[in-house]
Amino acid sequence: MVYKFRVILDAEEDIFRDIAILEEDSLEDLHNAIVNAFDFDGLELASFYTCDNQWNQEEEISIFDTGDVAGEQKIMSDYQLSEILNKENTKIIYVYDFLTMWTFLVELAAIEEIAIGETYPSTLFSHGIMPMDAPEKDFETDMKDDIYGEFEDDLDQDDLDRFDEGENFEDFGFEENWN
């Protein structure tokens, strides 16, 4: 069988590629197909992340064994696509180059019969032009205002000025050896 994926760059613009690949190919083969479809040089580290239906990241599957004990961690080449993705589990996240964090949402769109005369993997459709730089990530939190949430109002500017002047922490209820 042939797995047909839509690989979408996690960006505001619509940039995606449709890729066909054999179900018995490995995650490493899918990695290579994505690298080729998006014209990356293939020299950077990459990982897939299993996820739920809402794209919440779960288990990492990297291109190389990065564990403490060699051979203990399974890598992309250890997984056939059909072991990870099927009609029930159709989504996986792909991150290329951990310095720039090119992030892609990969979704299994169809499972079809092999077409005679076709070569796999192949890029079936290409939409959008890749930007020069990876899109900025907006790591939002569930807190209403910002990452400090309810604690941001605990100290005002006068309190911060007193810290800068080396005032004693005991006035704020801190113990010197709290741990």
Side-chain angles (χ1 to χ4, degrees), residues 8-38:
I8 305 166
L9 177 63
D10 188 14
E12 289 185 30
E13 306 83 27
D14 288 336
I15 301 169
F16 63 88
R17 307 292 184 261
D18 291 345
I19 296 173
I21 188 168
L22 299 174
E23 71 176 326
E24 64 266 8
D25 283 342
S26 69
L27 279 176
E28 184 177 16
D29 295 324
L30 180 58
H31 154 76
N32 291 329
I34 293 170
V35 164
N36 290 330
F38 285 94

Side-chain angles (χ1 to χ4, degrees), residues 104-161:
F104 298 87
L105 308 175
V106 181
E107 186 163 15
L108 178 59
I111 301 173
E112 299 177 357
E113 294 292 328
I114 295 173
I116 307 282
E118 290 292 321
T119 57
Y120 300 101
S122 63
T123 302
L124 303 174
F125 184 74
S126 179
H127 178 80
I129 299 170
M130 287 291 287
M132 294 298 294
D133 298 312
E136 292 283 326
K137 297 289 178 254
D138 184 18
F139 296 105
E140 294 182 26
T141 65
D142 292 333
M143 294 184 190
K144 64 180 180 186
D145 294 323
D146 62 22
I147 61 171
Y148 300 106
E150 63 186 79
F151 300 108
E152 75 176 324
D153 294 329
D154 286 353
L155 297 175
D156 60 20
Q157 190 58 47
D158 290 335
D159 294 329
L160 295 174
D161 291 341

Side-chain angles (χ1 to χ4, degrees), residues 67-98:
D68 293 333
V69 179
E72 187 175 81
Q73 178 183 6
K74 288 180 80 172
I75 59 174
M76 288 183 200
S77 61
D78 294 328
Y79 291 96
Q80 282 189 340
L81 292 175
S82 58
E83 290 178 62
I84 300 290
L85 299 157
N86 53 49
K87 290 180 182 179
E88 291 79 37
N89 299 314
T90 61
K91 297 177 180 180
I92 196 164
I93 299 168
Y94 175 72
V95 177
Y96 178 81
D97 186 355
F98 292 102

Side-chain angles (χ1 to χ4, degrees), residues 41-90:
D41 60 17
L43 300 176
E44 303 299 332
L45 293 178
S47 286
F48 283 101
Y49 296 88
T50 59
C51 62
D52 62 18
N53 282 331
Q54 283 71 46
W55 298 102
N56 294 310
Q57 180 178 311
E58 296 172 346
E59 176 190 353
E60 178 182 14
I61 305 168
S62 68
I63 187 83
F64 300 113
D65 185 346
T66 57
D68 293 333
V69 179
E72 187 175 81
Q73 178 183 6
K74 288 180 80 172
I75 59 174
M76 288 183 200
S77 61
D78 294 328
Y79 291 96
Q80 282 189 340
L81 292 175
S82 58
E83 290 178 62
I84 300 290
L85 299 157
N86 53 49
K87 290 180 182 179
E88 291 79 37
N89 299 314
T90 61

Side-chain angles (χ1 to χ4, degrees), residues 163-174:
F163 280 132
D164 289 339
E165 294 169 7
E167 191 167 313
N168 193 338
F169 287 101
E170 292 173 11
D171 295 341
F172 293 97
F174 294 112

